[in-house]
Each structure stands twice: as C-alpha cells, then as structure tokens.
Amino acid sequence: MDRKIEHKKNPLKRILLYTLLAILLCLLLWSALAAGNKVTIDRDRVSIKTVEYDSFEDMALFNGKVQPLNTLQINTIESGTVKKIHGQNGALIKEGELLLELYNPNTELSYLTQETAIIEQINNLRNTRISIKNQQMTLDKDLIQMSYNFNNAARQYRMDTTLYRKGVISKNDYLKSKETFEFQGKQQENTKKYMQNEQKDRETQLRLINASIEKMEKSLEQLRENKENFIVKAPATGLLSSFNPLLGKSYNKGELIGKVDMQDGYKLLVRADEYYFNQLKTGKMALLEFNDKQYHLKVEKVVAEVINGKFDIELVFEDRAPETIQQGMTLPIKIYLSNKKEKALLLPKGSFYQSSGGQYVFVLTNDNTAKKRKISIGKANANFYQVLEGLVEGDRVITSSYDDFKDKDVLALN
C-alpha cells in the first residue's frame, strides 16, 4: 500500500510574502495620499518671479490729487437773498471783479435810518458851531465898540484936564469927564477878562464839535461802505471754484459761497491708510515721475485726524511743479518712509499674498514641480516684499493667486 508523502511548509517564504504584501500596500497608500495633496496646473496660468538680493527702498506708493497751493474762501459779509449772479464757476477772475449781488430790505432800511440820523446830528453840530462863531463875532464887535468908547473918553479926559487947569471949564465938567474915563477903562478891562475866558471855552467847545463831526462823518462813510457788503467781489485773482449760487437763495452772514484757487503753484493731497500714520511725518521726501521726468516733493502737512481708516497729508514740490499738470489730476507718487537703503532678499509683489497672508509660497524645485514652503516677510514697498526667512537668492516663486490650490502642497506644471 502506497503511503502519502507530506511536504513540510517553509516559514521563510511565508514571511517574505507577507513583507512584500505590506510594502506594496504602503506604496499604494503613499501614492494615494500623495495624489490627494498634489494638483496639476497649466504653467500659463501662473506668474513666476525670482528672488533677488538687492537694495530695498522703504517707501510706499500713493495716489496724489493735484490741488492749488493756496486757496482763499469767499464768504458773505451780510445776510441776504441772491439778486443777481455775475461770476461763473470754473472761470478765471480778477481781484475786485463783481461776483454776486444780495438783497436784504430790512438791513437796507436799517442802514437808511442810521444814515439819516447821522446826517441830522452832523447838521445840528454844524449849526451849533456856526452859532458859537456868531457869538464870537458879536463879542468881538462889542469889544471894538468898548475900545472906541474908551479911547474917546480918554481923549476927552486929557483935553478937559488941560482946560480945567486953565480955568476954561468948570470943576463939575472935569469930574464928569474923569468919571466917564475911569468907567470906560474898568468896563473894558472886565470885558477883556470875560472874553478871554469865553474864548477858551469856545475853543474847547469848537474842538469837541469838530471831533464829533469828524467821527460822525467817518461813521457815515463806513455805513455807506457797508451798503457795498451786499455786493460780493473777488478777493484775489485766480480760478473761481465751489461757486454755485441760485437766484432767490438766502445766505447767512459769513456763509461760504465759493473759493478762489490762486495760480501761484500746486500741491498734492494724499489720503493714506491709517497703517502709515506713525510713518508719514512732515519732512518726508517723495518722488513723482511725470512725462519721463522726476520731480521731488516733501510732506508739508499731516492732518492728525483719521476718518474711516484714512488720513490726509499734503505734499509740496521742492522746485517747480510740472507745467502741464492741472488741478484735479490724480498722480502716482512714491513717499520714502526711510532715507536709508539696505540690502535684502527681495520677493516681487503679487496676488499670492492675499491667498497665503505671506505665511507660505510655492517654490519651484525644478521646471515642472513647485512645493509649498513656509516663509517670513518683513517690510514692503510698492514693488517688493523683504524676505526674512524661508527663501534664498535665485529661488523661483509663484507670485500669482493661490486661491485654486492653497490647500495643496505640491504643484505639477504642464
């Protein structure tokens, strides 16, 4: 009877088989995971820039609006209703040119009443002055008469004295002549003293009257000038702006109705983000490139008020402004935040920053593959980011948007 021969199992083969199966399973799993974290994109869809080691300019790019260097406001001096419009917004005007006529019947009636009262007071003072002068003439006339009488009495007294000594006239006639002479002398002396005092009083009174008349005449002149306040004239030569009155519209006293933009130069007004509030100070330098020429400016004024996350700064030209710029134009300017240039790794700006927040970038490892890499970014200017960590000179970086693959680690470029 034949006997069945049993073959012994080889444990080494079994272990080797299991090992090969495990390795194969791991490879399949790794391939699956790798495939899930990798995406293929068209090379034409991305922008690739090279990291450079070069001078870094600490500056920011802004848009500046051209404005006149100096502006004068036009305000109403009196309240009133628009009667007639002469000026036109946007026109070149000359100093003293008629712009607007206002009408206010109540104020004009008040002016007329005051004018009448002042004229009446002036006339009364003038009549008083005439009366005083007439009194002076009367007193002068009386004094002349007294001097005449005194002289006659003195002459008669001298003659009667001689005749009395010769016995020609009686003693009674002599005494009468003497008494008349003495009376006329005392009367003349008293009258002269009175007239001297009266003369001083009249001079003082006339001086006060003349001063009052002069003041009233100035008040009358000022009042008549005030009537001209209803006529609005250009305060200076320049461009009339913000001037939009309407017939029949009422304005209050001191209300703004327009501006005169002086033609003596231009400045640039920049609305900057509050991020730059502590960096943009007066004296900071700036550069404008216009029509293939460079113009230097400096920050003249910083308005220390932040509204809706923005604040205003004014820049003036170091030399002359470009001849062809016009008011209202918007020009790109560079403002230097620091006067020093330093060497640094520079990564060109791109929309990748909005996707990654500057925390990582995709760096090309070869012509067809890019891998995600963590980086650290420092300062930024209009064109570059300053790279602190994660990149080296010569690295090629995808700088376009990562929105379509920001959750991937590897990119395959076709």
Side-chain angles (χ1 to χ4, degrees), residues 52-61 275-276 279 334-349 377-388:
E52 300 176 355
Y53 187 74
D54 202 348
S55 296
F56 177 77
E57 291 183 330
D58 191 8
M59 57 85 174
L61 184 63
Y275 169 81
Y276 296 100
Q279 302 178 65
K334 298 177 182 178
I335 301 181
Y336 296 98
L337 306 179
S338 173
N339 294 329
K340 297 181 180 179
K341 292 183 179 181
E342 55 184 8
K343 291 287 186 177
L345 280 176
L346 304 180
L347 174 61
K349 277 192 168 183
I377 289 178
K379 297 179 180 179
N381 60 26
N383 301 313
F384 298 98
Y385 293 109
Q386 185 184 39
V387 180
L388 302 179

Side-chain angles (χ1 to χ4, degrees), residues 361-365 369-373 391 395-398:
V361 291
F362 281 94
V363 183
L364 271 68
T365 57
T369 305
K371 290 186 178 180
K372 182 182 291 185
R373 186 187 300 178
L391 296 174
D395 278 343
R396 293 181 296 165
V397 178
I398 296 177

Side-chain angles (χ1 to χ4, degrees), residues 389-413:
E389 295 178 353
L391 296 174
V392 296
E393 184 179 7
D395 278 343
R396 293 181 296 165
V397 178
I398 296 177
T399 57
S400 51
S401 175
Y402 296 168
D403 288 347
D404 293 337
F405 47 82
K406 59 184 179 180
D407 56 341
K408 306 298 181 180
D409 291 330
V410 181
L411 304 179
L413 304 178

Side-chain angles (χ1 to χ4, degrees), residues 153-184:
R155 185 171 55 254
Q156 185 66 41
Y157 173 67
R158 288 193 300 269
M159 185 175 61
D160 288 347
T161 299
T162 302
L163 293 175
Y164 174 70
R165 287 175 181 175
K166 292 181 177 181
V168 178
I169 61 173
S170 65
K171 185 178 181 180
N172 185 50
D173 291 337
Y174 165 74
L175 293 176
K176 184 177 180 181
S177 178
K178 182 180 179 182
E179 289 176 356
T180 302
F181 167 69
E182 291 175 349
F183 171 76
Q184 291 292 339

Side-chain angles (χ1 to χ4, degrees), residues 28 82 114 138 176 224 233 238 244 259 283 333 344-345 357 363:
L28 292 173
V82 177
Q114 294 178 56
T138 300
K176 184 177 180 181
R224 288 169 176 169
K233 297 181 180 180
N244 299 294
K259 298 178 181 179
I333 59 172
L345 280 176
V363 183

Side-chain angles (χ1 to χ4, degrees), residues 13-27:
K13 291 183 178 181
R14 184 179 297 176
I15 293 173
L16 182 59
L17 179 61
Y18 288 157
T19 301
L20 291 174
L21 290 174
I23 292 173
L24 180 59
L25 184 60
C26 289
L27 289 174

Side-chain angles (χ1 to χ4, degrees), residues 14 37 63 83 100 128 144 185-186 204 312 324-325 354:
R14 184 179 297 176
N37 204 23
N63 287 324
K83 178 181 178 182
L100 189 71
T128 302
I144 293 172
K186 290 180 180 179
T204 301
D312 293 337
T324 55
I325 66 170
Q354 285 71 30

